[in-house]
């Protein structure tokens, strides 16, 4: 990683931490991702505000912004390998609006997740995929993630601090 802080300028726009003003758009994008996976989303605006912007946030989110509008996001939550004293982050969601796919948004969001994880003194970033989502599995492998022996498939990458 060359740049170790956010916001992260990119060729298409900017990757930054989510702001409360982004919350309605994030809820909408979460709904799009849920629908893609055949889920019925029940996340509310209030749920997101509680989990992302409370005094003790449960999750962190970075957004990809093009022309001042969020067009993608990655949501992370903490992990730990307590026996090793090793903090990690789980990239729980990664989403790019269909109109902006293929422009490096997803790659940049993953890079921002790595930056955020290092900022939080994490040693690794992990992600899971649906067993049939071979495109996502190839994507994570292309970014240097290693597949772990798990079902559903899990991938992780060691981080440099």
């Amino acid at each position: 990683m060359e740049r170790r802080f956010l916001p992260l300028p990119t060729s298409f726009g900017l990757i930054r931490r989510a702001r409360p003003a982004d919350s309605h758009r994030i809820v909408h994008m979460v709904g799009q991702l849920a629908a893609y996976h055949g889920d019925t989303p029940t996340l509310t605006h209030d749920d997101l505000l509680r989990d992302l912007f409370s005094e003790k946030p449960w999750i962190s989110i970075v957004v990809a912004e093009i022309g001042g509008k969020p067009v993608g996001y990655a949501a992370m939550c903490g992990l730990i390998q307590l026996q090793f004293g090793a903090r990690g982050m789980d990239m729980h969601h990664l989403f790019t609006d269909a109109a902006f796919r293929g422009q490096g948004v997803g790659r940049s969001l993953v890079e921002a997740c790595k930056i955020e994880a290092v900022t939080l003194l994490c040693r690794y970033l992990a992600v899971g995929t649906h067993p049939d989502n071979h495109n996502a599995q190839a994507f994570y492998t292309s970014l240097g993630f290693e597949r772990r022996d798990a079902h559903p498939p899990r991938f992780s990458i060691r981080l440099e601090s």
Side-chain angles (χ1 to χ4, degrees):
M1 279 185 293
E2 296 171 17
R3 186 177 170 98
R4 296 192 177 268
F5 54 92
L6 296 180
L8 178 66
T10 68
S11 61
F12 58 79
L14 187 69
I15 307 289
R16 59 172 173 76
R17 290 179 186 97
R19 301 177 189 134
D22 301 323
S23 58
H24 288 288
R25 178 74 179 130
I26 292 170
V27 168
H28 175 74
M29 290 187 290
V30 168
Q32 289 179 291
L33 183 59
Y36 173 80
H37 288 290
D39 295 331
T40 302
T42 59
L43 176 71
T44 68
H45 179 256
D46 288 340
D47 292 336
L48 184 66
L49 291 176
R50 176 200 63 214
D51 292 339
L52 184 56
F53 298 110
S54 65
E55 185 177 324
K56 292 185 179 184
W58 194 257
I59 61 172
S60 61
I61 292 181
V62 292
V63 297
E65 178 182 285
I66 298 177
K69 178 183 177 186
V71 299
Y73 75 96
M76 298 165 286
C77 54
L79 297 171
I80 194 160
Q81 293 175 326
L82 190 57
Q83 70 276 27
F84 303 122
R87 287 180 175 187
M89 290 296 281
D90 179 64
M91 190 169 50
H92 182 66
H93 276 191
L94 179 66
F95 176 82
T96 302
D97 189 278
F100 299 96
R101 292 183 187 146
Q103 298 180 31
V105 174
R107 287 179 182 274
S108 296
L109 285 165
V110 171
E111 185 64 23
C113 288
K114 290 164 59 177
I115 291 168
E116 284 292 275
V118 167
T119 299
L120 295 169
L121 305 176
C122 294
R123 294 188 200 168
Y124 63 98
L125 180 65
V127 65
T129 68
H130 188 279
D132 297 331
N133 194 342
H134 301 291
N135 288 337
Q137 294 169 34
F139 173 72
Y140 293 123
T141 301
S142 77
L143 295 178
F145 284 77
E146 295 180 17
R147 187 177 180 138
R148 301 292 175 217
D149 187 21
H151 185 80
R154 297 278 304 158
F155 298 81
S156 67
I157 190 167
R158 296 199 67 56
L159 302 171
E160 299 174 20
S161 48

